[in-house]
C-alpha cells in the first residue's frame, strides 16, 4: 500500500539542503522519495538569458520555438 500523505517534507533551496535532508533520512532509516520542483530557466541559461529574451522578443513572437526550457516571449 502506498501512503500518499507524507509525514514530513523538505523544501530544499540549495544543494546543501538536499545533502542535509538525505543525511537525516539515512540517520533515522526513514523512507523517502524525491520530487523535483520548479525550474529556474534564467539560471539554466546563465549570463546569456537576457540576450536570449531579447532575441526571442524580436524573432519568435508566436513562441514557435518552445521546448523543454522555454523562454517565454516578452
Amino acid at each position: 500500500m502506498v501512503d500518499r500523505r507524507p509525514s514530513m517534507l523538505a523544501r530544499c533551496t540549495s544543494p546543501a539542503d538536499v545533502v542535509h535532508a538525505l543525511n537525516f533520512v539515512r540517520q533515522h532509516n526513514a523512507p523517502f522519495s524525491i520530487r523535483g520542483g520548479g525550474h529556474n530557466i534564467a539560471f539554466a541559461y546563465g549570463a546569456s538569458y537576457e540576450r536570449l529574451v531579447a532575441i526571442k522578443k524580436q524573432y519568435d513572437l508566436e513562441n514557435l520555438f518552445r521546448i523543454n526550457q522555454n523562454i517565454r516571449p516578452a
Side-chain angles (χ1 to χ4, degrees):
M1 181 172 143
V2 175
D3 184 359
R4 301 207 182 268
R5 295 168 297 182
S7 58
M8 153 181 19
L9 293 173
R11 299 192 91 168
C12 301
T13 59
S14 70
D17 287 348
V18 175
V19 170
H20 184 73
L22 289 174
N23 286 337
F24 180 87
V25 296
R26 286 181 185 140
Q27 278 183 329
H28 294 82
N29 197 27
F32 71 96
S33 65
I34 297 174
R35 185 186 77 144
H39 302 279
N40 188 337
I41 303 304
F43 179 78
Y45 284 109
S48 302
Y49 180 75
E50 293 301 323
R51 183 168 176 251
L52 290 167
V53 169
I55 291 169
K56 182 125 177 150
K57 183 178 179 181
Q58 184 175 0
Y59 294 106
D60 189 21
L61 298 176
E62 295 180 16
N63 201 23
L64 177 66
F65 298 103
R66 56 188 178 277
I67 57 173
N68 291 340
Q69 298 214 344
N70 184 31
I71 295 173
R72 296 180 190 256

